[in-house]
């Protein structure tokens, strides 16, 4: 599947302890983060996952609502959107984590006008008479086990576009890679949900990618050398058939983050040359640093995805590795030596014990 920039959207809804299948409880209304819900005591998203209970509209569509689309997404950007994930906050949850609770696959978005609920005029449709999203019922899935995320998990698992955080204002656009990663997590926690697996397959998620997540993602929170060692053992001998996505997970995701931490956000080339190894500081106070595969993943060599094949470098030396006059002299589990424009550099890698 080719990379698509605007392939999905993540949009918030109010929490509903009844599962968005009917009138909400008063406590859900009172704890809603949306003032209009509390003021008017109506929660239009309360029917979002009633698609197996209430009558569909003509053509088999079921209508949902997210208050985030009161400011509608760009019509051109949503032309290729194939998935809308609905996310919410559990009330009184102090962890800062949020829950992705379900998906509307192959959705329509009410750009020109909202969608009216008219089918067999169910009594609830009189009160909750419209919405701003719709999908065919077979493409709507409420996750039995929701996906708990926060900004750290989002970054480590590449669930949002690079440099983006979960927003409380508006909504998040998702790339095709983000969508497939979220679907992989959903299947990981809902592995017996056949409609979800079918929808994921229709959205471009293939079996080998699901298997990768089942095998390797459970260790993404490893914060110790021992944890990285476990990742190393799993990845060392992989032939990167799905090189683009797996490489992305390693180079920009969890493993890269651990290597950056253990290398103290230093450019190992600058350090070897005796110059300041730290670049500029980002808004979060961390020094900016990149990771580099010594053996290119595109070579399809075993071990090219391993931790031992990664070093941390500044943006300038990263480009020099790719485009400059560089000759690799030694590259083993612990030592990397190279000639860069005739100057020998010696780097000791993170030791995985």
């Amino acid at each position: 599947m080719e990379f698509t920039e605007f392939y999905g959207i993540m949009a918030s809804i109010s929490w509903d302890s009844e599962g968005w299948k009917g009138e909400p409880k008063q406590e859900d209304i009172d704890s809603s983060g949306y003032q209009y819900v509390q003021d008017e005591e109506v929660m239009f998203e309360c029917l979002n996952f009633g698609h197996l209970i209430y009558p569909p509209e003509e053509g088999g569509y079921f209508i949902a609502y997210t208050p985030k689309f009161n400011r509608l997404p760009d019509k051109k950007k949503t032309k290729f959107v194939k998935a809308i994930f609905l996310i919410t906050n559990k009330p009184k949850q102090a962890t800062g984590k949020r829950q992705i609770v379900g998906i509307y696959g192959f959705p329509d978005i009410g750009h020109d006008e909202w969608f009216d609920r008219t089918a067999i005029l169910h009594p609830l449709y009189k009160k909750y008479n419209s919405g701003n999203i719709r999908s065919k019922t077979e493409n709507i899935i409420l996750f039995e086990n929701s996906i708990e995320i926060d900004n750290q998990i989002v970054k480590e698992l590449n669930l949002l576009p690079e440099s983006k955080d979960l927003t409380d204002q508006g909504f998040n656009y998702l790339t095709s890679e983000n969508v497939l990663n979220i679907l992989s997590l959903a299947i990981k926690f809902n592995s017996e949900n056949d409609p979800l697996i079918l929808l994921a397959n229709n959205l471009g998620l293939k079996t080998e990618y699901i298997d990768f997540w089942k095998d390797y993602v459970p260790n993404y929170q490893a914060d110790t050398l021992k944890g990285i060692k476990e990742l190393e053992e799993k990845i060392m001998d992989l032939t990167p058939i799905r090189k683009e996505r797996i490489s992305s997970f390693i180079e920009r995701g969890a493993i890269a983050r651990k290597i950056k931490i253990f290398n103290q956000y230093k450019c190992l080339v600058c350090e070897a040359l005796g110059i300041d190894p730290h670049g500029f500081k980002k808004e979060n106070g961390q020094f900016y640093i990149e990771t580099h595969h010594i053996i290119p993943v595109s070579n399809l060599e075993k071990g090219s995805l391993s931790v031992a094949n990664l070093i941390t470098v500044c943006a300038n030396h990263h480009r020099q590795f790719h485009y400059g006059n560089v000759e690799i002299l030694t590259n083993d589990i612990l030592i990397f030596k190279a000639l860069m424009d005739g100057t020998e550099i010696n780097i000791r890698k993170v030791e995985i014990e």
Side-chain angles (χ1 to χ4, degrees), residues 88 123 174 227 229 241-242 259 263 286:
T88 188
L174 306 172
K229 172 64 175 175
I241 298 172
R242 306 293 290 178
I259 295 301
N263 285 340
Q286 292 177 347

Side-chain angles (χ1 to χ4, degrees), residues 308-326:
N309 193 43
L310 279 176
I311 59 173
T312 52
V313 290
C314 64
N316 182 56
H317 283 127
H318 199 178
R319 297 298 178 273
Q320 190 171 359
F321 272 119
H322 283 286
Y323 306 112
N325 181 20
V326 179

